[in-house]
C-alpha cells in the first residue's frame, strides 16, 4: 500500500513542479509598497560608460590582454602577440562577442573571457 502511494506521488509531483515553473514571476511592487519601487539595482559608485575603443585588461591568472572595439566586433590581443577577432553575438550586441568555442562578455570595467576547454577567466581594466 505504501509503495503504491509513493509511486502515485512520484507521478504527481513532476507535473505540479512544471506547472509552478510556468507561472509568471513578477517583481512589481504591491499596492502601498513604495519602498520596493525606489530601490535601484545599478551600483551607485560606478557609472556605466561605453566600452572605449581600446582597453587593457588585467586577468585573474596574471595575464594581460588588450581589447580593441571595432563596432560590430572586437579584436583581442594577448600578451604573447596572438590576436583574434570576435563578432558581436548576436549581431546587434555591444557587450557579447564570440564564435565557435571562444567568447567575451564585457560588463562595464570587467570582461569575462571564455575559451573552449578552459574555465572562464575574469579580467578588469
Amino acid at each position: 500500500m505504501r509503495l503504491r502511494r509513493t509511486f502515485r506521488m512520484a507521478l504527481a509531483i513532476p507535473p505540479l513542479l512544471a506547472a509552478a515553473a510556468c507561472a509568471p514571476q513578477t517583481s512589481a511592487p504591491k499596492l502601498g509598497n513604495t519602498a520596493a519601487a525606489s530601490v535601484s539595482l545599478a551600483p551607485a559608485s560606478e557609472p556605466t560608460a561605453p566600452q572605449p575603443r581600446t582597453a587593457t585588461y588585467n586577468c585573474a591568472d596574471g595575464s594581460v590582454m588588450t581589447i580593441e572595439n571595432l563596432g560590430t566586433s572586437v579584436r583581442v590581443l594577448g600578451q604573447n602577440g596572438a590576436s583574434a577577432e570576435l563578432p558581436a553575438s548576436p549581431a546587434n550586441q555591444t557587450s557579447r562577442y564570440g564564435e565557435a568555442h571562444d567568447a567575451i562578455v564585457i560588463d562595464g570595467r570587467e570582461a569575462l573571457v571564455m575559451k573552449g576547454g578552459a574555465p572562464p577567466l575574469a579580467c578588469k581594466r
Side-chain angles (χ1 to χ4, degrees), residues 22-39:
C22 292
Q25 302 292 325
T26 61
S27 60
K30 300 206 180 349
L31 185 63
N33 188 0
T34 57
S38 65
V39 175

Side-chain angles (χ1 to χ4, degrees), residues 32-115:
N33 188 0
T34 57
S38 65
V39 175
S40 171
L41 297 177
S45 62
E46 201 171 311
T48 55
Q51 169 72 13
R53 168 86 172 147
T54 304
T56 301
Y57 290 81
N58 296 310
C59 299
D61 68 350
S63 64
V64 176
M65 75 172 70
T66 301
I67 299 177
E68 183 180 2
N69 187 347
L70 304 173
T72 59
S73 64
V74 292
R75 181 174 296 126
V76 182
L77 305 167
Q79 63 187 23
N80 59 357
S83 72
E85 191 167 322
L86 299 172
S89 180
N92 63 348
Q93 278 294 316
T94 59
S95 63
R96 293 182 299 209
Y97 303 89
E99 67 181 354
H101 51 78
D102 296 337
I104 291 181
V105 178
I106 300 172
D107 185 20
R109 300 183 60 82
E110 298 179 357
L112 184 64
V113 180
M114 294 158 278
K115 289 188 159 222

